[in-house]
Amino acid sequence: MTLPTTQRRSAVLALPLAAALMLAACGSGGTNGGNDPHTITLSYASANPTDQVYEVLAKDYMAAHPGVNIKTNRIALNAANQTLTTQMQAGNGPDVMWINAGAGQAASIGHLAKAGKLLPLTDPSLKSIIPATELEGYSSNGTLYGVPSSSMISGIVYNDEVAKQNGVTITPSSTLQDVISQCGAVKAKGKAIFGLAGSIPENSGIMAMEIATSTVYGSNPNWNQDRAADKTTFENTPGWHQALQAVIDLNKSGCFQAGAAGAGFDTLTNYESQGKIFGFFAPSGATKDIMDSAHGAVKLIALPFPAPQGTKTYMTLSADLGLAGNKNSKNPKLVEDFIKFSVSPAEAKKFADAQGAIPIGNVDSSDLLPQYQKVAGLLKGQQYRPYGVDGWQNGQVYNALGTGTTGLITGQKSIDDVLKMMDAAWSS
């Protein structure tokens, strides 16, 4: 089982771990709506054939707008980028489409907007609904082209109950040193605090990015813009050195399971089923997928990755999946109205709850799902940053980080090696 490129993380990470955590606790083509002024098409991607969140959204809009018809089309997640890009280039894309934020992939706001394929969203109220930290990934040259569907924390999906049974305590106020100080005793029991699928670059990359959210973007939320303007580099940024040093320290202290560098998701599944690891690195939507599969037999929470002592911990708040419109749609007003409806308070809440996520525009709400209660204070205090990868030049930078992070664990790469690789990929 392989992950989609760069940011596509949540569903693929959750599915192979669902049964294990429970044990440990105990289409069609993309044509648009044509000339019918009351019909539009919606294509969305999903790794899970039973996922109905976009279907429900379409039905809700039709119920609120009698006479409108929305034709939906599900695309398998691992084929979505290629399918949507091909359709849009051929001129037969859907009216509304699932899309990636930023410019790291083919089917993304950055690439399709640059190619002139996306419908500019002109309703000024949209910018007041979408948090400022999430606007960048859905805009190009100051123009808004899409909206996020929900927000998630890219951090630690964590079984707090099992961890405490083994004498481990990690909270939103913990430091990296607090975690490391507990790893040795856990390792002596033949267990590990964290599971890492090191053979899959995306999983190693997620972990490194979670640390860099605090060490790099915490003090400089505009780091990506500085890098794009050649005002800095990965190699010359102390926070990147600090983040990768944290990976080395975690590994040397036995915080990952044995053989982490060569492990795949099957290894994580086996270790979880035996209660040998307590958490893994993924977007927080995985908590719901796993708990639903466990039918109440397990309770998971979302936590940020603790920052090194002396550095303020920031959560990674990711809103990298959303909706955009087709510039060539015959019904642009209907398209924009549907997109606006998707982020209205009631629909945003309904959508996020179904995904196990955080509603767009309501990250500081007290009405969050139980898995977010421990981080509610951080959300309310805006102690978060966007997922940095969404603003990178291309997907090769993230691949260099993921493969390089695994190289740090094996000892085949140095910190300088990894950062030079990332700088080279940025300029490629």
Side-chain angles (χ1 to χ4, degrees):
M1 181 178 189
T2 58
L3 277 168
T5 56
T6 60
Q7 301 105 296
R8 302 292 68 81
R9 308 173 300 278
S10 182
V12 185
L13 282 165
L15 294 176
L17 291 171
L21 272 169
M22 178 175 63
L23 292 172
C26 353
S28 60
T31 56
N32 60 37
N35 294 320
D36 184 347
H38 304 296
T39 297
I40 57 174
T41 54
L42 165 64
S43 289
Y44 65 93
S46 174
N48 184 354
T50 64
D51 183 0
Q52 295 291 308
V53 287
Y54 285 105
E55 298 282 350
V56 172
L57 175 62
K59 291 177 181 177
D60 285 353
Y61 186 84
M62 289 188 286
H65 300 80
V68 171
N69 182 29
I70 300 177
K71 299 178 180 179
T72 58
N73 173 43
R74 178 189 169 273
I75 304 172
L77 183 63
N78 59 359
N81 282 337
Q82 181 177 349
T83 299
L84 286 170
T85 302
T86 300
Q87 290 175 355
M88 293 297 285
Q89 290 174 342
N92 66 341
D95 293 292
V96 182
M97 73 203 78
W98 169 101
I99 199 164
N100 300 302
Q105 298 188 77
S108 65
I109 290 288
H111 285 282
L112 291 178
K114 185 177 181 180
K117 302 296 184 181
L118 298 183
L119 177 71
L121 302 179
T122 59
D123 190 323
S125 67
L126 284 170
K127 289 189 176 182
S128 66
I129 294 172
I130 303 170
T133 55
E134 297 164 359
L135 276 173
E136 180 185 356
Y138 292 88
S139 303
S140 180
N141 294 324
T143 299
L144 185 68
Y145 288 99
V147 301
S149 293
S150 64
S151 296
M152 295 187 191
I153 297 168
S154 284
I156 304 167
V157 172
Y158 190 62
N159 192 323
D160 194 39
E161 292 182 352
V162 171
K164 285 180 177 176
Q165 290 169 10
N166 286 273
V168 173
T169 299
I170 300 176
T171 72
S173 62
S174 295
T175 66
L176 174 69
Q177 285 70 27
D178 292 333
V179 175
I180 287 175
S181 68
Q182 301 176 81
C183 292
V186 176
K187 181 180 180 180
K189 297 178 182 178
K191 302 179 180 182
I193 293 179
F194 300 129
L196 177 67
S199 69
I200 301 170
E202 291 84 354
N203 197 229
S204 299
I206 291 169
M207 173 187 61
M209 281 304 303
E210 290 168 3
I211 305 170
T213 296
S214 297
T215 62
V216 177
Y217 297 95
S219 60
N220 183 8
N222 296 317
W223 189 89
N224 283 353
Q225 292 93 316
D226 289 346
R227 182 63 185 85
D230 291 327
K231 294 180 179 178
T232 189
T233 63
F234 289 97
E235 188 179 10
N236 291 335
T237 301
W240 280 110
H241 287 264
Q242 191 178 18
L244 297 186
Q245 184 61 52
V247 173
I248 294 173
D249 294 343
L250 286 162
N251 182 55
K252 286 184 176 179
S253 300
C255 298
F256 309 130
Q257 85 278 10
F265 288 124
D266 56 339
T267 301
L268 298 193
T269 301
N270 292 334
Y271 273 69
E272 287 287 358
S273 67
Q274 300 169 49
K276 289 187 175 181
I277 58 177
F278 312 142
F280 60 96
F281 312 104
S284 53
T287 58
K288 184 178 187 298
D289 293 335
I290 294 169
M291 289 190 292
D292 285 351
S293 297
H295 303 293
V298 62
K299 291 182 180 179
L300 302 177
I301 63 172
L303 289 176
F305 201 104
Q309 192 168 355
T311 300
K312 188 175 181 178
T313 293
Y314 283 85
M315 292 188 300
T316 309
L317 189 66
S318 172
D320 55 5
L321 295 177
L323 294 175
N326 188 334
K327 185 178 181 180
N328 294 323
S329 172
K330 304 297 183 181
N331 302 310
K333 290 184 178 179
L334 181 56
V335 166
E336 183 163 4
D337 193 64
F338 173 72
I339 290 174
K340 181 179 176 181
F341 178 83
S342 75
V343 291
S344 62
E347 283 303 311
K349 170 68 173 169
K350 185 175 183 179
F351 190 98
D353 284 354
Q355 276 196 326
I358 301 169
I360 288 297
N362 286 284
V363 296
D364 60 351
S365 170
S366 59
D367 185 22
L368 296 173
L369 293 172
Q371 53 264 47
Y372 296 105
Q373 291 305 314
K374 286 188 179 294
V375 296
L378 299 185
L379 289 168
K380 197 170 187 65
Q382 298 186 357
Q383 201 167 320
Y384 52 78
R385 294 285 186 260
Y387 190 63
V389 176
D390 290 342
W392 288 1
Q393 297 280 88
N394 57 67
Q396 294 307 308
V397 186
Y398 184 61
N399 185 62
L401 174 63
T403 56
T405 299
T406 298
L408 293 176
I409 295 174
T410 62
Q412 295 174 302
K413 297 289 184 183
S414 69
I415 292 174
D416 286 341
D417 290 337
V418 177
L419 298 179
K420 287 177 181 177
M421 288 166 53
M422 295 173 71
D423 279 319
W426 184 282
S427 302
S428 64

